[in-house]
Each structure stands twice: as C-alpha cells, then as structure tokens.
Amino acid sequence: QNVSFSDPPKNRVIIVQAMPRPNRLEFILEKCTELGMDELWLFPGDRSEKKVVQNSQLKRMEIIIISAMKQSGRVYLPKLIVKEHVTNWKETAPGNLFFGDVHPEAPLLLDAWKKKEDGDTLFFIGPESGFSEREEHVLKEMGAIGVKLHRNILRTDTASMVVLSVIGMLE
C-alpha cells in the first residue's frame, strides 16, 4: 500500500492522555491513529503509574503510529507530544476542551458536542485510576467540559476509542 504524507485537517482532534501502562499505550497509539486522531499529547497524571517516557519508547511509539497510519490509509502522520503535568501548562490549543467524567450529572459527549464551536477539539483522558480531584479542578479552570462516554466506567484505552468513534461519526 502506497501512502503519502500531507498536512492534518484545519480542525484537529487531539487526545490528551494521562500516561497509561506501556501495553495500554501501544494499543491506544495504534487504534487512535486508525480512528483519526490528529495528535496525542501524553502527560504524567497524578495517578499514572509511569511518569516518564524514554527516547527508546518514543521511537517505538513513532513506529507504531506510522504502521497504523499506513494500515488505515491515512495521508498524514499524527503528532506525538510529551508534555508536563496539566497543572504546569500555561495554555492549551484554542478550541473545544472535554474530559471524561464519571459523575452521574455529567452530560453525554453527544449532547455537549452539539454545542461545540469551530476549532480544534482536545479530549482529556485519565490514567487507569482516573483523574485526581486536583486534575479535574485544573481541567475545569481551563474551560474543559466533563462528559460521559458511556453508562459504564471505561478503561483508559477504551475511552479514547469511544471518543474518536463518536467524533468520527459526527464530523
């Protein structure tokens, strides 16, 4: 299969993932690339078991992304960016910010999506143990809207796939 690289679309879909276990991360990279993620931002979450990414791991992650890109017939390479903890961020990309929220009163992603504005979409996903209260507070201060993805609590790797599947059907 012959694939050429090009620029990503104007309105990017960015998965902002608290660092999961390495085996889950490889799965997330592969499936999110297939499902249309434009960028993956990794950050060390309060409850992340792993807090650092080694250079050798970054090279492996890039190989996984390229392989998934080719397999799915994509025409541009998603970016992988390793960031600091969200409490240290000075700003995010402008656009629509959402995070996975397990609280019963959180709106469904589908309902919140109807109110989104033009621009990039950043979706924050917690690690296996979820976001800490401090992280939820910071996300809300950034303007992120907590949304439910399903009636059940999803694993970190499942959440990103549900997000991209829903967004892919609505775009």
Side-chain angles (χ1 to χ4, degrees):
Q1 188 165 308
N2 194 0
V3 178
S4 61
F5 295 99
S6 69
D7 294 329
K10 185 180 121 194
N11 294 325
R12 299 171 299 166
V13 176
I14 301 168
I15 297 294
V16 185
Q17 173 73 56
M19 287 185 201
R21 294 183 190 119
N23 63 328
R24 294 207 185 278
L25 179 55
E26 289 188 7
F27 188 75
I28 289 167
L29 289 167
E30 181 181 83
K31 301 308 176 196
C32 287
T33 299
E34 290 175 14
L35 289 168
M37 152 191 90
D38 298 306
E39 294 184 16
L40 177 72
W41 296 0
L42 284 175
F43 72 94
D46 286 343
R47 296 179 180 159
S48 292
E49 289 180 20
K50 186 168 176 58
K51 305 277 185 185
V52 178
V53 176
Q54 305 296 329
N55 280 340
S56 61
Q57 292 170 307
L58 276 176
K59 289 187 188 323
R60 174 149 173 76
M61 288 184 225
E62 289 171 2
I63 290 168
I64 290 168
I65 290 172
I66 290 169
S67 175
M69 184 198 96
K70 289 178 180 178
Q71 186 280 323
S72 61
R74 292 188 61 170
V75 293
Y76 64 90
L77 184 65
K79 289 183 185 175
L80 173 62
I81 300 169
V82 179
K83 297 181 104 25
E84 298 178 79
H85 190 277
V86 293
T87 56
N88 298 329
W89 294 9
K90 302 297 183 242
E91 60 184 55
T92 63
N96 304 282
L97 281 65
F98 300 101
F99 68 93
D101 193 344
V102 297
H103 295 98
E105 68 278 358
L108 294 172
L109 172 58
L110 186 60
D111 295 333
W113 189 260
K114 293 174 186 172
K115 299 174 187 171
K116 84 170 189 72
E117 297 177 13
D118 193 39
D120 293 342
T121 296
L122 281 73
F123 199 99
F124 294 79
I125 298 172
E128 284 86 351
S129 302
F131 289 119
S132 67
E133 286 183 30
R134 173 177 85 131
E135 288 168 328
E136 279 195 29
H137 178 74
V138 168
L139 292 173
K140 288 176 183 175
E141 279 188 343
M142 287 179 183
I145 299 167
V147 295
K148 280 192 283 194
L149 302 175
H150 196 274
R151 67 179 165 270
N152 299 329
I153 296 172
L154 304 176
R155 289 181 184 260
T156 189
D157 46 344
T158 307
S160 57
M161 283 173 267
V162 168
V163 166
L164 291 168
S165 294
V166 169
I167 291 173
M169 295 304 293
L170 297 173
E171 283 291 290

